Amino acid sequence: MALIDVIKYEGQPGEVVWKFPRNDISTFGQLVVNESQEAIFFKEGKALDVFGAGTHTLKTGNVPILEKLVNLPFGGQTPFTAEVVFINKALVQLKWGTPAPVQVEDPKYMITLGLRANGSYNIKITDSKAFAVGVVGARGAYTQDQIDSFLRPMIVTRLSDFLAEVVLKSGEPITKLNQYLEEASSAGKTKIQPDFSKYGIEVVDFFVQSINFDQNDPNFQKIQKVLTDKFEIETLGGMYQQKRMLDIGEAAAKNESGNAGQGMSAGLGLGMGMNMGNMMSGMAAGQNNTGAANNQNDASARLQKLKSMLDQGLISQEEFDAKKKDILNSI
């Protein structure tokens, strides 16, 4: 079999690493390396000389480590055996996602939630030797899909760390993380870069595109309840206590049993009606007290509060329409 005179990349699209299929090489042969590539000579499993883009003649001085190892009598077309592996160093675009929910503790409420997240990231190989030895090993080729399978667990492992970090900085519960995707992306890149660097890989870009929670998770519902109560307190102000009384009354009314239960239900219903009347009277009194000093901003605030009460079922549509008309007439 004739010695190989020209060694060049003949891999398939999507292959990040490709090994030349023969190892019987002639000195004074030509090594052709394309742009955004490097070629590495291997001997007995050891990564030796690295060649960048261009055409290289394999002669004395060009392969110093290999020459020393093989002890070649350079000067003629002396054959030697070595493996040549091509590394593509162009940008590689990949996606990531959680195969199963990741358990993350909300540092604000100390409740653990299972979340799913996904996104994308761009990498490039900066140290061909480290990548070839640490990731590829003895494989004849290595594709983008294989890189994805290798790197994705590292991202998922760091996921809880950088998401919790963002929550701490924002001061918001973890259920609001989707409002901080840019911050989460930046934190994620910082967290995973040391893991990737060990294998000669640079994280050029990292993006968290979506974070989702199981809506039926009891812990998720607990946090949602806290947020809902907080919103009601801020919106209703002094009326929040009256609203809570209505909620308690409605819950008790649903637990009626027998005649005694019906009597209790009737009493509670009467109490709720009185409370509702007081709430509506309180709103009317609030409107009347503003007098001529009310402007459009005051009316807008009252309309927002009224709409909130409608959405929460505290008043009917008819009551809402009537009070809305009163507010608009007072402008």
Side-chain angles (χ1 to χ4, degrees), residues 285-300:
Q287 294 166 17
N288 293 332
N289 290 337
T290 56
N294 282 344
N295 54 28
Q296 291 184 351
N297 289 335
D298 296 327
S300 176

Side-chain angles (χ1 to χ4, degrees), residues 78-141:
T78 306
F80 65 94
T81 59
E83 296 177 334
V84 180
V85 173
F86 290 87
I87 308 289
N88 285 314
K89 302 184 71 175
L91 198 70
V92 178
Q93 298 176 322
L94 300 170
K95 294 184 180 296
W96 65 271
T98 51
V102 177
Q103 300 301 311
V104 180
E105 183 179 72
D106 189 311
K108 186 178 181 68
Y109 298 112
M110 306 305 291
I111 293 177
T112 300
L113 295 178
L115 62 82
R116 293 181 181 272
N118 61 74
S120 61
Y121 63 112
N122 302 322
I123 62 169
K124 66 179 180 180
I125 299 166
T126 55
D127 187 335
S128 296
K129 274 190 178 182
F131 181 76
V133 173
V135 180
V136 182
R139 297 179 181 87

Side-chain angles (χ1 to χ4, degrees), residues 223-237:
I223 293 182
Q224 291 299 97
K225 177 67 167 57
V226 171
L227 295 176
T228 300
D229 289 346
K230 179 182 177 182
F231 173 78
E232 290 180 349
I233 291 172
E234 293 174 348
T235 303
L236 298 177

Side-chain angles (χ1 to χ4, degrees), residues 11-185:
Q12 300 298 315
E15 289 183 337
V16 181
V17 177
W18 181 79
K19 183 168 68 175
F20 192 76
R22 291 176 59 180
N23 64 0
D24 48 338
I25 300 168
S26 170
T27 54
F28 284 90
Q30 301 290 310
L31 172 65
V32 180
V33 184
N34 297 329
E35 290 290 337
S36 299
Q37 285 185 343
E38 284 185 341
I40 308 175
F41 276 83
F42 279 80
K43 183 69 175 178
E44 298 176 352
K46 296 181 180 180
L48 304 176
D49 296 293
V50 179
F51 292 83
T55 300
H56 308 273
T57 301
L58 304 178
K59 60 183 180 180
T60 305
N62 281 2
V63 283
I65 302 177
L66 183 61
E67 179 185 359
K68 181 177 180 181
L69 178 66
V70 181
N71 194 25
L72 295 176
F74 277 85
Q77 286 193 331
T78 306
F80 65 94
T81 59
E83 296 177 334
V84 180
V85 173
F86 290 87
I87 308 289
N88 285 314
K89 302 184 71 175
L91 198 70
V92 178
Q93 298 176 322
L94 300 170
K95 294 184 180 296
W96 65 271
T98 51
V102 177
Q103 300 301 311
V104 180
E105 183 179 72
D106 189 311
K108 186 178 181 68
Y109 298 112
M110 306 305 291
I111 293 177
T112 300
L113 295 178
L115 62 82
R116 293 181 181 272
N118 61 74
S120 61
Y121 63 112
N122 302 322
I123 62 169
K124 66 179 180 180
I125 299 166
T126 55
D127 187 335
S128 296
K129 274 190 178 182
F131 181 76
V133 173
V135 180
V136 182
R139 297 179 181 87
Y142 206 75
T143 65
Q144 291 189 13
D145 289 341
Q146 288 173 302
I147 292 179
D148 177 44
S149 298
F150 178 76
L151 297 178
R152 186 177 300 191
M154 299 184 198
I155 298 175
V156 175
T157 298
R158 297 296 182 186
L159 185 66
S160 59
D161 292 338
F162 67 78
L163 292 184
E165 180 179 293
V166 173
V167 172
L168 283 171
K169 288 183 178 179
S170 68
E172 298 283 359
I174 206 165
T175 52
K176 292 191 175 183
L177 267 174
N178 269 310
Q179 300 177 18
Y180 299 91
L181 295 182
E182 184 175 347
E183 291 84 351
S185 298

